Amino acid sequence: MLNFFPGPSKLYPEVRTYLTDAYDEGIMDAPHRGEQFVQLSRAVVGSLKRRLNIPQDYSIYFTSSATECWEILIQSLTKKKSFHIYNGSFGEKWYEYAKKMRPEAEGHRFDINEVMPVESLDISTDTELICITQNETSNGTQVTATSILNLHNRFRDTLTAVDATSSMAGLNLKYIKADIWFASVQKCFGLPPGLGILVCSPRAIFRAKQMNERNHYNSLVSLYEKMLNYQTVHTPNTLNIYLLKRMLEDRPFIKQIDIDLIDRANELYEFFGQFIDFKLLIENEEVRSKTVLVLEANERLVEDIKKRALHHNIRLGNGYGPWQRNTFRVANFPAIDNEEYEELKRFFLHYYA
């Protein structure tokens, strides 16, 4: 089965070997307070910083998922409210969840073909955290590095958090331009679900220490204190952390992955742009995602394409949210080989032959 589902998506084939090695090395039942795990944790943190160009003074924490990070950040970095800028389902879900915890949380929705409107945003001075989704998996849009920098420059005194679930480990993100970044590993990392990566600037940790919120097992200040010794507050997903270590060791540095992924994204957009019966959902090239492509057509055609693809052992991504019935999605993640995309192209050319 060729898997183009945008998460959980295709695993790196080496994962099979990594799993066997993890068993042989006693990783799966290693005590998470023991030296074996501490050494593993230290190695992964170092590899993440080197391979993904994360600043050395930023800190890294292990969570269960990106959605857990939503909770951690709202409870540990805000007393009153956050401000959410979004154009799709996952950004909106983060906003709706924040309102349950902090009823005064505010949000601003912008159009899927619009550049994030930084200059026109009205964000009050008592906002403690600005939240954006860098790559919106539901509709195939992205917020550019320039927009993130402009947001940082305009609201310099407010912490900025970035959901990078569908782009971390695929794109060369400019971490220095925001205070918090997070993702899950079942997309561009090419690993099984069940592990989240939370990246925090010194300024974010300073704020967490100031608040000193300790009412939850996953409070950020508690995560910080445990990670000083490369440990976690909870029993971690040790196996997935080990898989992450091995994957990082065997992959190129992010600069090369970014170049390859963007080149392939451009080729895929050009290919899918030639068809008449369906079109690219995102018309504005500037805001098109490089890692998730979304194609729009009438509901019957979308359903037929997905069914025929499955018959040819090709799994396309379902539409999501408001676009659930009239779109399908195609992941452009590093673990998927170029030849698999050539097979996908042959399917579509045959479909319309």
Side-chain angles (χ1 to χ4, degrees):
M1 178 68 71
L2 301 184
N3 185 8
F4 298 98
F5 207 92
S9 192
K10 181 192 174 184
L11 305 181
Y12 281 110
E14 294 89 347
V15 168
R16 177 194 291 267
T17 301
Y18 301 160
L19 288 168
T20 302
D21 292 345
Y23 182 87
D24 292 342
E25 294 175 28
I27 290 295
M28 297 186 188
D29 54 1
H32 66 286
R33 302 294 179 218
E35 185 61 22
Q36 188 176 17
F37 176 79
V38 168
Q39 293 297 332
L40 171 63
S41 178
R42 180 184 287 112
V44 171
V45 168
S47 288
L48 283 167
K49 290 183 177 182
R50 288 191 304 273
R51 298 281 174 169
L52 302 188
N53 284 342
I54 298 173
Q56 287 300 313
D57 60 347
Y58 278 43
S59 50
I60 296 174
Y61 307 97
F62 302 121
T63 68
S64 64
S65 66
T67 47
E68 185 192 1
C69 294
W70 295 350
E71 179 178 81
I72 293 171
L73 299 177
I74 299 301
Q75 72 193 16
S76 296
L77 295 176
T78 71
K79 292 182 178 179
K80 185 177 181 181
K81 68 179 180 182
S82 53
F83 190 97
H84 299 254
I85 311 162
Y86 62 93
N87 70 357
S89 297
F90 289 98
E92 184 175 21
K93 284 184 177 182
W94 189 4
Y95 171 43
E96 294 295 334
Y97 190 78
K99 284 198 294 185
K100 293 179 181 179
M101 302 176 69
R102 304 287 186 263
E104 294 186 47
E106 297 176 332
H108 177 88
R109 178 191 288 274
F110 63 102
D111 187 76
I112 58 174
N113 280 296
E114 179 186 3
V115 175
M116 188 173 68
V118 176
E119 296 307 317
S120 62
L121 291 172
D122 183 17
I123 301 178
S124 59
T125 56
D126 59 348
T127 298
E128 299 153 290
L129 185 67
I130 299 173
C131 304
I132 65 173
T133 303
Q134 191 277 326
N135 198 89
E136 179 54 70
T137 318
S138 66
N139 57 31
T141 59
Q142 69 168 3
V143 175
T144 65
T146 299
S147 291
I148 296 174
L149 176 60
N150 291 340
L151 185 71
H152 170 76
N153 288 340
R154 184 169 178 219
F155 303 101
R156 188 176 297 274
D157 294 334
T158 307
L159 293 177
T160 304
V162 182
D163 185 334
T165 297
S166 292
S167 52
M168 188 183 290
L171 300 181
N172 190 12
L173 302 170
K174 309 305 180 186
Y175 293 94
I176 197 68
K177 296 179 180 180
D179 296 287
I180 302 120
W181 300 76
F182 58 90
S184 297
V185 299
Q186 72 271 17
K187 297 178 186 283
C188 286
F189 284 94
L191 296 175
L195 179 65
I197 308 298
L198 175 61
V199 180
C200 295
S201 71
R203 198 166 74 132
I205 296 306
F206 180 77
R207 169 65 177 168
K209 290 179 180 178
Q210 277 187 319
M211 278 192 59
N212 199 31
E213 185 276 313
R214 297 177 181 270
N215 296 329
H216 306 83
Y217 86 93
N218 59 357
S219 297
L220 183 53
V221 69
S222 300
L223 296 182
Y224 162 77
E225 290 173 348
K226 281 296 183 184
M227 189 52 86
L228 291 174
N229 295 315
Y230 293 96
Q231 294 184 4
T232 58
V233 296
H234 59 284
T235 304
N237 188 338
T238 308
L239 175 58
N240 228 340
I241 294 171
Y242 175 83
L243 298 179
L244 177 59
K245 172 182 178 292
R246 295 292 301 276
M247 182 278 293
L248 290 167
E249 292 171 347
D250 289 347
R251 302 274 75 79
F253 285 86
I254 193 62
K255 184 176 181 180
Q256 185 60 52
I257 293 175
D258 177 278
I259 292 171
D260 295 341
L261 215 61
I262 290 176
D263 286 346
R264 192 165 67 188
N266 293 336
E267 292 173 3
L268 288 170
Y269 276 120
E270 182 178 359
F271 172 79
F272 284 115
Q274 69 181 298
F275 296 98
I276 299 175
D277 291 345
F278 59 83
K279 66 175 185 175
L280 300 168
L281 177 65
I282 307 305
E283 299 173 355
N284 185 350
E285 294 183 14
E286 184 178 356
V287 299
R288 282 178 185 163
S289 167
K290 302 301 183 184
T291 57
V292 180
L293 287 73
V294 181
L295 291 305
E296 180 184 20
N298 67 66
E299 294 181 11
R300 291 182 62 183
L301 180 58
V302 167
E303 195 61 31
D304 185 61
I305 288 174
K306 291 190 298 183
K307 286 182 179 179
R308 293 200 188 191
L310 275 177
H311 182 71
H312 288 81
N313 292 320
I314 296 173
R315 180 181 292 120
L316 298 172
N318 298 323
Y320 197 94
W323 307 276
Q324 182 175 9
R325 300 179 66 87
N326 67 328
T327 66
F328 62 92
R329 296 176 294 166
V330 177
N332 179 31
F333 294 159
I336 308 174
D337 295 331
N338 288 334
E339 177 53 38
E340 295 176 79
Y341 287 100
E342 294 304 313
E343 183 65 26
L344 179 67
K345 292 178 184 177
R346 287 191 287 269
F347 163 75
F348 275 96
L349 290 173
H350 177 74
Y351 181 88
Y352 280 97

